[in-house]
Amino acid sequence: MSLSPRSAINADLHSHSDISDGTLPPEAVAARARAAGVQLWSLTDHDELSGQARAVEAAARLGMDYLTGTEVSVSFAGQTVHIVGLGFDASDPALSEGLRATRSGRDARAMAMALGLAEAGIEGAYEGALRYVGNPALISRTHFARFLVDSGVCGDVPEVFRRFLTHGRPGYVEHRWAGLGEAVRWITQAGGVAVIAHPGRYKFTPTEEYALFSEFQAHGGQGVEVVTGSHRPSDFDKYAGFAREFDLLASRGSDFHSPEESRIGLGELPPLPAGLAPVWEALSHRVQRA
Ligand code: AMP
Ligand code: MN
Ligand code: MN
Ligand code: MN
């Protein structure tokens, strides 16, 4: 099957602003998306909706279609999984409350991370990371990483994650995020579609990965990111296969965080592999047209 004209649009449905762990305000992310030729955009800040009104307004001003978005942190089979929500009603109270609860442990977690880093000889990391935070409700590992790069401890953000912020490293703290079923329900009951974000990034066994997809679908999840800045080209094919096998809608997004840190710019992605059902076609009734 060849690409239909609508599935060939430049949709970027995964990006971050300084409302979570991106470095740019929502308006600047919108402007970069527009300049890169994005036709349909979504701002998907982690566990947060407070950038949505600004994103909608900026997209409209720039003549770009928009879908509401967020990226929910979920604990599943001992790992953190991200579930992107698209096209929901951003004023839905249960979704807002669920995200508030998901965010609520971040500050205590950050203080525990700083304790671990102090034991490894890095003092003042909590205060240091806070200087990079745009939204006090959303301190993340990325803010610690930027602090450790700018203070000269590491050369770049990926190095900080490798040496300090991943499982078994001094600044890593186990954390309990939302449940998979909860996250999917918050999104779908608000009228949106839940999407498994960057499945190629997780370190699941094939059995665990199969469980993730089947439980996600049993909870009402309908989509998977196939083309994302977090995937290698071999992952595009693998997860196109999963989309077909599970009959899931396919999504596409850069996972843009910052002009300095992103491997792939907004909208700079290959099209979805042929024969997949684009999530934006299923959500066409939820698109806020410019
Ligand atoms: P948190 O929600 O505080 O656990 O932070 C997760 C964020 O850290 C992700 O959304 C990414 O932006 C970033 N991140 C995770 N792993 C890496 C990595 N290996 N290299 C660079 N950034 C990463
Ligand atoms: Mn992030
Ligand atoms: Mn993610
Ligand atoms: Mn993301």
Side-chain angles (χ1 to χ4, degrees):
M1 196 175 114
S2 61
L3 290 177
S4 73
R6 268 201 302 165
S7 63
I9 69 165
N10 191 343
D12 191 329
L13 303 182
H14 191 151
S15 62
H16 298 274
S17 74
D18 63 4
I19 299 293
S20 65
D21 61 349
T23 58
L24 303 177
E27 293 79 8
V29 182
R32 286 183 78 92
R34 184 73 180 89
V38 172
Q39 292 160 288
L40 172 64
W41 172 56
S42 183
L43 181 71
T44 54
D45 278 312
H46 298 284
D47 308 325
E48 259 291 5
L49 300 179
S50 63
Q52 292 302 303
R54 290 167 62 186
V56 170
E57 198 185 313
R61 212 168 39 237
L62 292 160
M64 191 165 54
D65 289 346
Y66 188 77
L67 277 170
T68 52
T70 188
E71 182 176 14
V72 188
S73 309
V74 161
S75 296
F76 182 85
Q79 291 188 47
T80 300
V81 164
H82 286 168
I83 301 296
V84 163
L86 296 171
F88 49 76
D89 170 4
S91 67
D92 182 84
L95 174 61
S96 294
E97 171 53 26
L99 295 180
R100 189 205 56 73
T102 306
R103 285 192 301 269
S104 66
R106 279 185 178 271
D107 205 48
R109 172 195 188 229
M111 289 191 242
M113 287 170 59
L115 280 180
L117 290 169
E119 282 173 21
I122 298 163
E123 299 293 335
Y126 177 74
E127 295 73 19
L130 268 186
R131 295 208 300 271
Y132 294 81
V133 164
N135 169 6
L138 217 115
I139 183 163
S140 92
R141 285 185 290 163
T142 315
H143 302 111
F144 282 84
R146 292 189 183 124
F147 167 66
L148 292 188
V149 171
D150 289 349
S151 55
V153 176
C154 290
D156 60 20
V157 165
E159 184 192 338
V160 186
F161 275 88
R162 270 197 313 278
R163 288 179 52 197
F164 293 105
L165 300 181
T166 42
H167 198 80
R169 300 293 173 170
Y172 186 76
V173 173
E174 288 291 343
H175 193 73
R176 183 111 192 129
W177 301 106
L180 178 64
E182 287 180 309
V184 171
R185 277 191 298 279
W186 296 334
I187 295 161
T188 54
Q189 289 178 2
V193 166
V195 175
I196 298 175
H198 43 62
R201 275 213 348 218
Y202 311 128
K203 308 245 177 331
F204 290 127
T205 64
T207 307
E208 289 168 336
E209 184 173 58
Y210 193 87
L212 169 65
F213 275 77
S214 35
E215 289 183 33
F216 169 77
Q217 194 159 41
H219 288 302
Q222 296 179 77
V224 59
E225 278 184 351
V226 173
V227 175
T228 134
S230 300
H231 277 176
R232 299 161 207 280
S234 61
D235 293 322
F236 300 164
D237 296 335
K238 175 175 177 185
Y239 293 103
F242 270 67
R244 292 189 192 99
E245 179 185 349
F246 286 87
D247 198 18
L248 292 168
L249 301 165
S251 193
R252 175 182 188 264
S254 58
D255 206 358
F256 175 85
H257 283 74
S258 143
E260 289 78 33
E261 292 163 19
S262 294
R263 279 175 294 169
I264 288 190
L266 285 150
E268 290 174 11
L269 300 152
L272 286 179
L276 300 180
V279 67
W280 53 91
E281 290 190 0
L283 280 169
S284 62
H285 61 296
R286 311 284 313 184
V287 172
Q288 311 197 42
R289 310 267 170 210

